[in-house]
Amino acid sequence: MRITGIKTAVIEANFDWTLVRVETDEGVSGLGEAFFAPGLTAMMREFESVLVGEDPFDIDRLYQKMRWASSAGSIAGFAYNAISGIEAALWDLKGRALGVPIWQLLGGKFRDRVRIYADCHAGHTLESLGPLLQRRAPAWLGNGDAAGSRSGYFESLPDESDDFTPKAYAEKARAVADRGFTALKFDLDVPVSGSVAPDAYARNLNPAQLDHLASLVAETCAAVGPHVEVAFDCHWRFTVKDAIRLARAIEGVPVAWLEDPTPPENPTALAKVTHATSTPIGTGENWFAREGFREALSLGALDIVLPDLQKCGGLGEGKRIAELADMHDLSVAPHNISGPIGTMASVHVAAAIPNFHSLEWHAQDVPFFDALLVGAGPLIVNGHVEVPTGPGLGVDLDLDAAARYAKAGEPFFA
Ligand code: MG
């Protein structure tokens, strides 16, 4: 069997769900999903020139070949998003050709169902973001002014909003937990009503802001009780001093983890935060390949490892990162902003690693998430996904449904 082509499609959801299909001369194909990036589908199609004629079963070798084709061995960057999607498609292809699930190829499974944690954004706020994190208003969102009022995700938000109050967070947390989820996540890098809007570039917190964030954490966790774990995401917004003050301010609350308090490029800074607090610190969605996790793990810079399997290099690399984490006695909770294809790919890795905590689901407000799969009911039931037993991914993309939400201007597997 030989690879004959690479095709792409993009679903315009809350993010660009970027799909890639690897085709062969025997009619078997595989489907993968990559973390969005500007220019990503053109980059994935460009990889066709190094993959055509190759044996699609040589997944680990083709992963290395794609790495070395990317600027003679890139250690980071959008090339890894492309490689991750293609690598995942190769696993689906191989599983379909051999008639076994991906988890079987990865070494078998540790569990029959995978726990999902529901990302709850910042309370009530639902947005759709383009590939450079600009706000947009796709037709399905039904919110014509979502775009334009605030230009970019990392710019300062308005400082008056009912969305970012402890009451709003607590109500949202209760509502999602009532649907059966035992793990949740909320944004913690939010503005404080009545206070000075945080300076997006200076990244400082004043005492009032610190108090407000600590009360968001305390009241959200109290609202759902001890059987539901809640993580809080800081999106790299804070300096070391403020991240330490925030982490210490919530030490009395048993949060699942505090995510990305400081920027991803400095494991030493993160280690200072982690070593200064008993609050568990998690990170990983902006690190690439197993090598990208090595320094932080050896520094003891994190308490829980959060790789993004649509970005870190793929499913095989995700499993190797999980093995590194296991050597350091750390759990893994994969980051995931994908549609159902990337989510199911991540489910296979989650099933095949011992040290799994929970898998993110970021699409609870996207009304067509389940409609993208052929003949399936809801993928997530009572906060879990049943590990599929069919070949490859174990699910099939509904091409008609996918075409309805395809992004204008992008090829659709053409
Ligand atoms: Mg995050």
Side-chain angles (χ1 to χ4, degrees), residues 11-15 17 19 33 116-117 140 179 181 310 336-347 359-381 384-385 395-398 401-402 404-405:
I11 310 295
E12 190 176 58
N14 53 340
F15 303 105
W17 293 345
L19 304 175
E33 182 169 350
I116 300 295
Y117 79 81
W140 61 265
R179 293 165 55 199
F181 290 96
Q310 285 70 46
N336 171 40
I337 56 155
S338 304
I341 296 301
T343 298
M344 189 54 100
S346 299
V347 162
L359 168 66
E360 181 169 12
W361 181 48
H362 209 98
Q364 58 170 303
D365 297 311
V366 179
F368 52 87
F369 181 87
D370 289 312
L372 292 176
L373 297 180
V374 172
L379 192 66
I380 299 162
V381 178
H384 291 77
V385 176
V395 291
D396 294 299
L397 183 69
D398 184 322
R404 277 199 288 284
Y405 300 101

Side-chain angles (χ1 to χ4, degrees), residues 185 233 235 259-260 285 335:
K185 186 167 82 182
D233 196 342
H235 292 110
E259 179 167 323
D260 292 332
E285 72 186 77
H335 182 256

Side-chain angles (χ1 to χ4, degrees), residues 150-381:
R150 301 181 300 202
S151 54
Y153 182 79
F154 280 100
E155 294 171 28
S156 292
L157 297 166
D159 64 346
E160 295 294 338
S161 167
D162 290 336
D163 283 353
F164 310 121
T165 63
K167 182 170 176 286
Y169 268 40
E171 284 172 4
K172 176 78 174 183
R174 265 193 298 267
V176 179
D178 283 348
R179 293 165 55 199
F181 290 96
T182 58
L184 313 174
K185 186 167 82 182
F186 282 82
D187 294 349
L188 201 57
D189 54 324
V190 293
V192 177
S193 184
S195 177
V196 177
D199 182 323
Y201 295 95
R203 303 185 294 122
N204 290 303
L205 285 172
N206 67 33
Q209 289 160 343
L210 197 67
D211 277 355
H212 181 83
L213 300 185
S215 64
L216 280 176
V217 169
E219 294 188 37
T220 307
C221 290
V224 292
H227 298 291
V228 177
E229 297 179 86
V230 190
F232 293 88
D233 196 342
C234 304
H235 292 110
W236 319 277
R237 299 260 195 187
F238 305 128
T239 57
V240 168
K241 71 174 171 49
D242 289 331
I244 290 173
R245 291 198 299 174
L246 175 60
R248 286 183 172 167
I250 61 173
E251 281 181 346
V253 185
V255 300
W257 66 83
L258 187 67
E259 179 167 323
D260 292 332
T262 57
E265 62 269 26
N266 189 345
T268 305
L270 188 70
K272 278 189 186 173
V273 178
T274 301
H275 296 164
T277 180
S278 63
T279 295
I281 304 295
T283 194
E285 72 186 77
N286 271 347
W287 289 339
F288 300 89
R290 75 204 90 153
E291 296 86 348
F293 290 74
R294 186 173 59 92
E295 182 183 358
L297 287 170
S298 56
L299 287 170
L302 64 172
D303 299 303
I304 184 162
V305 187
L306 317 175
D308 188 300
L309 306 182
Q310 285 70 46
K311 190 195 236 185
C312 73
L315 309 185
E317 200 63 1
K319 182 161 188 278
R320 290 185 281 266
I321 290 163
E323 286 163 357
L324 279 177
D326 200 35
M327 282 169 50
H328 292 82
D329 298 307
L330 300 176
S331 295
V332 172
H335 182 256
N336 171 40
I337 56 155
S338 304
I341 296 301
T343 298
M344 189 54 100
S346 299
V347 162
H348 285 269
V349 176
I353 60 175
N355 50 333
F356 171 71
H357 180 280
S358 55
L359 168 66
E360 181 169 12
W361 181 48
H362 209 98
Q364 58 170 303
D365 297 311
V366 179
F368 52 87
F369 181 87
D370 289 312
L372 292 176
L373 297 180
V374 172
L379 192 66
I380 299 162
V381 178

